[in-house]
Amino acid sequence: MATEIKQVKKNDLPSIDVKDIDDRVADKLRRFIADKNAFAKNTWDQMLSVLRSWGTWCDAQGKTWLPADPDDVREYLFYLKNDLKRATSTVAQHKYLINKIHVEAGLPRPGDDLSVRRGMRSIRRTSVLDGEQVGQAIPFHYEDLKKVATLWHGSKSLKIRRNLAFIGIAYNTLLRIAEVSRLRVRDIHFS
């Protein structure tokens, strides 16, 4: 059994009761944290936020967050939905990320347990019956693009000109800004 987890900082993951995990799991978690650059900053921050929430709830309930008991995960998901009034998509994201940390640690995914899956199904069904609506982004129309282009056209600021180019390319190609920012001149072929 592990006696400590080195290089895991307080801001990385919730604390782990090391008697509950072995050296293999601790090593996998260390490697996972070392490879955090494999994830976008927002993705990593969201994962840490979810895991801190899960860890805090587990500490308050006297539960172990890793490895998680499926019944505890189910109870936590209902806590998010019923007590904190989180959107169903947020609850589903928490389930996904709890599963993800278990996969990264080489542990079984607690969210795959039938009771957790039925719990999520119940949460989704109740949300639909209660009239929960999914938030939808406001569309960016061609007229909006023309307005931005008119406002920014002729700007001497390189930043504004770059942003206008990003928006124009993204709008016309349906690429995300992260994808547009990775484009290189050699990627563009004129016919």
Side-chain angles (χ1 to χ4, degrees), residues 71-84:
D71 290 336
D72 296 341
V73 173
R74 178 186 164 106
E75 186 180 339
Y76 172 71
L77 298 177
F78 277 104
Y79 160 77
L80 290 173
K81 184 64 183 166
N82 298 332
D83 296 359
L84 298 185

PDB file of all heavy atoms in Angstrom, residues 71-84:
ATOM      1  N   ASP A  71     -23.039   3.566  -5.179  1.00  0.00           N
ATOM      2  CA  ASP A  71     -24.179   4.126  -4.431  1.00  0.00           C
ATOM      3  C   ASP A  71     -23.899   5.561  -3.988  1.00  0.00           C
ATOM      4  O   ASP A  71     -24.805   6.397  -3.963  1.00  0.00           O
ATOM      5  CB  ASP A  71     -24.517   3.254  -3.227  1.00  0.00           C
ATOM      6  CG  ASP A  71     -25.115   1.911  -3.624  1.00  0.00           C
ATOM      7  OD1 ASP A  71     -25.682   1.811  -4.737  1.00  0.00           O
ATOM      8  OD2 ASP A  71     -25.012   0.967  -2.819  1.00  0.00           O
ATOM      9  N   ASP A  72     -22.633   5.840  -3.646  1.00  0.00           N
ATOM     10  CA  ASP A  72     -22.264   7.209  -3.266  1.00  0.00           C
ATOM     11  C   ASP A  72     -22.339   8.143  -4.469  1.00  0.00           C
ATOM     12  O   ASP A  72     -22.788   9.290  -4.352  1.00  0.00           O
ATOM     13  CB  ASP A  72     -20.852   7.242  -2.669  1.00  0.00           C
ATOM     14  CG  ASP A  72     -20.746   6.458  -1.371  1.00  0.00           C
ATOM     15  OD1 ASP A  72     -21.783   6.195  -0.738  1.00  0.00           O
ATOM     16  OD2 ASP A  72     -19.600   6.106  -0.996  1.00  0.00           O
ATOM     17  N   VAL A  73     -21.893   7.676  -5.632  1.00  0.00           N
ATOM     18  CA  VAL A  73     -21.963   8.492  -6.845  1.00  0.00           C
ATOM     19  C   VAL A  73     -23.420   8.810  -7.159  1.00  0.00           C
ATOM     20  O   VAL A  73     -23.771   9.960  -7.447  1.00  0.00           O
ATOM     21  CB  VAL A  73     -21.275   7.786  -8.044  1.00  0.00           C
ATOM     22  CG1 VAL A  73     -21.515   8.560  -9.344  1.00  0.00           C
ATOM     23  CG2 VAL A  73     -19.787   7.626  -7.787  1.00  0.00           C
ATOM     24  N   ARG A  74     -24.278   7.819  -7.078  1.00  0.00           N
ATOM     25  CA  ARG A  74     -25.705   8.032  -7.341  1.00  0.00           C
ATOM     26  C   ARG A  74     -26.277   9.074  -6.374  1.00  0.00           C
ATOM     27  O   ARG A  74     -26.966  10.011  -6.784  1.00  0.00           O
ATOM     28  CB  ARG A  74     -26.455   6.703  -7.207  1.00  0.00           C
ATOM     29  CG  ARG A  74     -27.948   6.838  -7.408  1.00  0.00           C
ATOM     30  CD  ARG A  74     -28.633   5.496  -7.099  1.00  0.00           C
ATOM     31  NE  ARG A  74     -30.051   5.678  -6.918  1.00  0.00           N
ATOM     32  CZ  ARG A  74     -30.963   5.322  -7.810  1.00  0.00           C
ATOM     33  NH1 ARG A  74     -30.608   4.769  -8.952  1.00  0.00           N
ATOM     34  NH2 ARG A  74     -32.236   5.528  -7.561  1.00  0.00           N
ATOM     35  N   GLU A  75     -25.961   8.927  -5.099  1.00  0.00           N
ATOM     36  CA  GLU A  75     -26.454   9.876  -4.095  1.00  0.00           C
ATOM     37  C   GLU A  75     -25.947  11.287  -4.380  1.00  0.00           C
ATOM     38  O   GLU A  75     -26.691  12.273  -4.271  1.00  0.00           O
ATOM     39  CB  GLU A  75     -25.998   9.414  -2.699  1.00  0.00           C
ATOM     40  CG  GLU A  75     -26.552  10.236  -1.563  1.00  0.00           C
ATOM     41  CD  GLU A  75     -26.069   9.732  -0.206  1.00  0.00           C
ATOM     42  OE1 GLU A  75     -25.642   8.566  -0.089  1.00  0.00           O
ATOM     43  OE2 GLU A  75     -26.130  10.532   0.749  1.00  0.00           O
ATOM     44  N   TYR A  76     -24.686  11.399  -4.787  1.00  0.00           N
ATOM     45  CA  TYR A  76     -24.089  12.692  -5.119  1.00  0.00           C
ATOM     46  C   TYR A  76     -24.792  13.331  -6.319  1.00  0.00           C
ATOM     47  O   TYR A  76     -25.085  14.538  -6.314  1.00  0.00           O
ATOM     48  CB  TYR A  76     -22.595  12.507  -5.408  1.00  0.00           C
ATOM     49  CG  TYR A  76     -21.907  13.734  -5.953  1.00  0.00           C
ATOM     50  CD1 TYR A  76     -21.675  14.844  -5.154  1.00  0.00           C
ATOM     51  CD2 TYR A  76     -21.466  13.776  -7.274  1.00  0.00           C
ATOM     52  CE1 TYR A  76     -21.027  15.964  -5.649  1.00  0.00           C
ATOM     53  CE2 TYR A  76     -20.817  14.887  -7.778  1.00  0.00           C
ATOM     54  CZ  TYR A  76     -20.599  15.980  -6.960  1.00  0.00           C
ATOM     55  OH  TYR A  76     -19.971  17.090  -7.461  1.00  0.00           O
ATOM     56  N   LEU A  77     -25.084  12.544  -7.330  1.00  0.00           N
ATOM     57  CA  LEU A  77     -25.753  13.080  -8.516  1.00  0.00           C
ATOM     58  C   LEU A  77     -27.139  13.613  -8.164  1.00  0.00           C
ATOM     59  O   LEU A  77     -27.544  14.681  -8.633  1.00  0.00           O
ATOM     60  CB  LEU A  77     -25.844  12.018  -9.615  1.00  0.00           C
ATOM     61  CG  LEU A  77     -24.494  11.509 -10.146  1.00  0.00           C
ATOM     62  CD1 LEU A  77     -24.708  10.401 -11.169  1.00  0.00           C
ATOM     63  CD2 LEU A  77     -23.649  12.629 -10.708  1.00  0.00           C
ATOM     64  N   PHE A  78     -27.870  12.895  -7.319  1.00  0.00           N
ATOM     65  CA  PHE A  78     -29.177  13.396  -6.869  1.00  0.00           C
ATOM     66  C   PHE A  78     -29.016  14.642  -5.999  1.00  0.00           C
ATOM     67  O   PHE A  78     -29.844  15.552  -6.060  1.00  0.00           O
ATOM     68  CB  PHE A  78     -29.962  12.304  -6.131  1.00  0.00           C
ATOM     69  CG  PHE A  78     -30.691  11.372  -7.059  1.00  0.00           C
ATOM     70  CD1 PHE A  78     -30.205  10.096  -7.315  1.00  0.00           C
ATOM     71  CD2 PHE A  78     -31.865  11.779  -7.690  1.00  0.00           C
ATOM     72  CE1 PHE A  78     -30.875   9.244  -8.190  1.00  0.00           C
ATOM     73  CE2 PHE A  78     -32.534  10.932  -8.565  1.00  0.00           C
ATOM     74  CZ  PHE A  78     -32.036   9.663  -8.811  1.00  0.00           C
ATOM     75  N   TYR A  79     -27.955  14.707  -5.210  1.00  0.00           N
ATOM     76  CA  TYR A  79     -27.656  15.900  -4.415  1.00  0.00           C
ATOM     77  C   TYR A  79     -27.457  17.106  -5.341  1.00  0.00           C
ATOM     78  O   TYR A  79     -28.013  18.186  -5.096  1.00  0.00           O
ATOM     79  CB  TYR A  79     -26.416  15.646  -3.558  1.00  0.00           C
ATOM     80  CG  TYR A  79     -25.727  16.886  -3.054  1.00  0.00           C
ATOM     81  CD1 TYR A  79     -26.237  17.609  -1.982  1.00  0.00           C
ATOM     82  CD2 TYR A  79     -24.549  17.347  -3.651  1.00  0.00           C
ATOM     83  CE1 TYR A  79     -25.601  18.749  -1.519  1.00  0.00           C
ATOM     84  CE2 TYR A  79     -23.914  18.482  -3.200  1.00  0.00           C
ATOM     85  CZ  TYR A  79     -24.436  19.183  -2.137  1.00  0.00           C
ATOM     86  OH  TYR A  79     -23.810  20.314  -1.678  1.00  0.00           O
ATOM     87  N   LEU A  80     -26.670  16.911  -6.415  1.00  0.00           N
ATOM     88  CA  LEU A  80     -26.444  18.008  -7.360  1.00  0.00           C
ATOM     89  C   LEU A  80     -27.758  18.491  -7.961  1.00  0.00           C
ATOM     90  O   LEU A  80     -28.006  19.693  -8.063  1.00  0.00           O
ATOM     91  CB  LEU A  80     -25.512  17.568  -8.494  1.00  0.00           C
ATOM     92  CG  LEU A  80     -24.058  17.320  -8.154  1.00  0.00           C
ATOM     93  CD1 LEU A  80     -23.327  16.731  -9.355  1.00  0.00           C
ATOM     94  CD2 LEU A  80     -23.381  18.599  -7.704  1.00  0.00           C
ATOM     95  N   LYS A  81     -28.589  17.555  -8.373  1.00  0.00           N
ATOM     96  CA  LYS A  81     -29.840  17.905  -9.060  1.00  0.00           C
ATOM     97  C   LYS A  81     -30.883  18.460  -8.100  1.00  0.00           C
ATOM     98  O   LYS A  81     -31.479  19.514  -8.347  1.00  0.00           O
ATOM     99  CB  LYS A  81     -30.388  16.667  -9.803  1.00  0.00           C
ATOM    100  CG  LYS A  81     -31.617  16.985 -10.620  1.00  0.00           C
ATOM    101  CD  LYS A  81     -31.268  17.970 -11.718  1.00  0.00           C
ATOM    102  CE  LYS A  81     -32.467  18.381 -12.509  1.00  0.00           C
ATOM    103  NZ  LYS A  81     -32.202  19.545 -13.320  1.00  0.00           N
ATOM    104  N   ASN A  82     -31.118  17.762  -7.007  1.00  0.00           N
ATOM    105  CA  ASN A  82     -32.233  18.121  -6.123  1.00  0.00           C
ATOM    106  C   ASN A  82     -31.893  19.199  -5.109  1.00  0.00           C
ATOM    107  O   ASN A  82     -32.707  20.072  -4.848  1.00  0.00           O
ATOM    108  CB  ASN A  82     -32.748  16.874  -5.401  1.00  0.00           C
ATOM    109  CG  ASN A  82     -33.289  15.838  -6.365  1.00  0.00           C
ATOM    110  OD1 ASN A  82     -33.753  16.175  -7.451  1.00  0.00           O
ATOM    111  ND2 ASN A  82     -33.199  14.578  -5.989  1.00  0.00           N
ATOM    112  N   ASP A  83     -30.700  19.144  -4.540  1.00  0.00           N
ATOM    113  CA  ASP A  83     -30.339  20.119  -3.500  1.00  0.00           C
ATOM    114  C   ASP A  83     -29.701  21.380  -4.077  1.00  0.00           C
ATOM    115  O   ASP A  83     -30.019  22.486  -3.671  1.00  0.00           O
ATOM    116  CB  ASP A  83     -29.393  19.495  -2.477  1.00  0.00           C
ATOM    117  CG  ASP A  83     -30.036  18.355  -1.688  1.00  0.00           C
ATOM    118  OD1 ASP A  83     -31.230  18.057  -1.916  1.00  0.00           O
ATOM    119  OD2 ASP A  83     -29.340  17.751  -0.845  1.00  0.00           O
ATOM    120  N   LEU A  84     -28.789  21.192  -5.032  1.00  0.00           N
ATOM    121  CA  LEU A  84     -28.097  22.349  -5.619  1.00  0.00           C
ATOM    122  C   LEU A  84     -28.779  22.886  -6.878  1.00  0.00           C
ATOM    123  O   LEU A  84     -28.369  23.905  -7.412  1.00  0.00           O
ATOM    124  CB  LEU A  84     -26.638  21.993  -5.931  1.00  0.00           C
ATOM    125  CG  LEU A  84     -25.763  21.611  -4.740  1.00  0.00           C
ATOM    126  CD1 LEU A  84     -24.326  21.398  -5.184  1.00  0.00           C
ATOM    127  CD2 LEU A  84     -25.833  22.648  -3.629  1.00  0.00           C
TER     128      LEU A  84
END
